[in-house]
Amino acid sequence: MVLAKLTEDQIRQELTGLHGWSVVNGKLHKDFVFADFIDAFGFMSRAAIHIEKMNHHPEWFNVYNKIKVELVTHDAGGITQNDINLARTLDSLAK
């Protein structure tokens, strides 16, 4: 089942509850910064368990203590509620 792409208004409303997230090139985007590589890698490992359960995989890129995350539902052609839910999960794991 493919979720419906959210409208720009829906995305703007959801962003009010997501600290540090924005839309860049049609994708939810956030740069996470951790104390060091071990903390960044630990976050990715914890997140991987949730990501696999959701079957909704992010585009992410890691260099040392920084992780760039972009979320989009390719099957829907844009941002869906799955992306919002994953953003919330990642934020909670990063605390």
Side-chain angles (χ1 to χ4, degrees), residues 21 27-30 32 43-62 67-74 82-87 89-90 93:
W21 290 88
K27 300 174 184 179
L28 281 182
H29 172 91
K30 184 170 182 176
F32 290 89
F43 165 77
M44 292 176 77
S45 296
R46 290 188 308 277
I49 295 165
H50 295 275
I51 289 164
E52 195 61 25
K53 285 180 186 175
M54 293 176 74
N55 193 31
H56 190 56
H57 303 89
E59 298 173 14
W60 59 8
F61 182 76
N62 166 245
I67 301 171
K68 175 178 111 173
V69 178
E70 293 184 334
L71 305 174
V72 67
T73 303
H74 295 284
N82 272 352
D83 301 303
I84 301 297
N85 295 344
L86 182 50
T89 297
L90 295 175
L93 292 169

